[in-house]
C-alpha cells in the first residue's frame, strides 16, 4: 500500500490570485501597510494565523483581528464566485490514481477544514481522499504533524508515502516526517527553492506527476 498526499493551494487548486486579493483587502481594511505580491505569495501554504503573523508582524488581539478579517472577506468572496479552479489535468490525474490498486490519497493543507470540504464538494472530489489534514487539528507546516496524522489514519509508513506540494513548507514537512518530497513548479515557490528545501524530485507539468510518483513508490510494495 502507498499513500499519496497532496497540498491544495498551488498544487491542486489555482488560488493564488484569490488569496492575494483577500490578503490585500484584509490589510487595507485594517489600515496596515500592504505587503508586496511576492511577500503575499511567499506565505501561501502556511496556516492562516502563522501566515498573517509573518506578513504583518502582529501578535495577540491585533493578529486575531487580522485573521478574522481575512477569513470573513475570504468566505464572502468564495460565496459569490468560483475563484479557485483546479489546475488543468488535475481532475483526470486524481481519477486515475483513485482507480489504482494499492493506492490511497490524502490532503495536507494550510487551508482550514471548512475550505477543504467546500473545495472538494465544488469539484466532486469528496470520495477521493482517505485522509484530510488541516491546521484545525495539526500544527502548521513545515511541522510534520499533518503527514504523521495521515499515515496514522491510513496505516501507511513513511517509506511508502509521497508528499506533493509547491512550496518549501511542503518539502520540509515531508523530510521531517521521513517521507518522499515531490515538488511541482506551477505553484508559488520556484524549482530552486523546492530543491533547496529537500525535494527528492521536481516536475514541470501535471502529466509528469503519476510517472514521478511511480518512480518513488510502487502501488504493490
Amino acid at each position: 500500500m502507498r499513500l499519496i498526499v497532496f497540498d491544495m493551494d498551488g498544487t491542486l487548486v489555482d488560488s493564488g490570485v484569490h488569496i492575494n486579493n483577500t490578503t490585500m483587502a484584509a490589510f487595507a481594511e485594517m489600515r496596515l501597510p500592504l505587503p508586496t505580491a511576492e511577500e503575499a505569495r511567499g506565505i501561501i501554504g502556511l496556516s492562516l494565523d502563522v501566515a498573517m503573523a509573518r506578513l504583518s508582524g502582529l501578535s495577540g488581539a491585533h493578529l486575531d483581528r487580522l485573521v478574522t478579517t481575512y477569513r470573513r472577506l475570504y468566505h464572502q468572496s468564495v460565496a459569490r464566485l468560483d475563484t479557485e479552479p483546479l489546475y488543468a489535468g488535475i481532475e483526470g490525474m486524481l481519477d486515475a490514481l483513485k482507480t489504482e490498486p494499492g493506492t490511497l490519497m490524502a490532503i495536507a493543507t494550510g487551508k482550514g477544514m471548512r475550505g477543504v470540504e467546500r473545495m472538494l464538494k465544488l469539484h466532486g472530489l469528496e470520495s477521493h481522499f482517505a485522509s484530510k489534514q488541516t491546521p484545525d487539528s495539526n500544527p502548521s507546516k513545515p511541522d510534520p504533524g499533518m503527514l504523521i496524522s495521515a499515515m496514522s489514519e491510513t496505516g501507511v509508513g513513511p517509506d511508502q508515502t509521497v508528499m506533493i506540494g509547491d512550496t518549501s513548507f511542503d518539502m520540509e514537512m515531508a523530510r521531517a516526517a521521513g517521507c518522499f518530497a515531490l515538488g511541482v513548479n506551477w505553484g508559488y515557490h520556484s524549482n530552486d527553492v523546492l530543491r533547496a528545501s529537500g525535494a527528492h524530485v521536481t516536475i514541470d507539468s501535471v502529466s509528469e506527476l503519476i510517472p514521478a510518483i511511480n518512480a518513488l513508490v510502487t502501488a504493490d510494495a
Side-chain angles (χ1 to χ4, degrees), residues 135-186:
D136 295 286
S137 55
N138 297 281
S140 176
K141 299 174 184 178
D143 186 280
M146 290 190 204
L147 284 176
I148 291 170
S149 295
M151 290 186 290
S152 177
E153 285 191 2
T154 58
V156 180
D159 60 336
Q160 285 298 116
T161 298
V162 181
M163 176 66 209
I164 300 168
D166 67 296
T167 71
S168 61
F169 316 126
D170 299 307
M171 303 301 99
E172 291 166 7
M173 178 175 66
R175 286 290 194 163
C179 304
F180 290 104
L182 199 168
V184 302
N185 82 344
W186 52 81

Side-chain angles (χ1 to χ4, degrees), residues 59-81:
S59 60
H62 295 292
L63 176 60
D64 291 344
R65 183 182 168 202
L66 177 59
V67 169
T68 299
T69 300
Y70 178 99
R71 189 171 282 123
R72 170 175 53 80
L73 293 171
Y74 180 90
H75 288 297
Q76 285 175 351
S77 62
V78 295
R80 293 193 302 268
L81 298 169

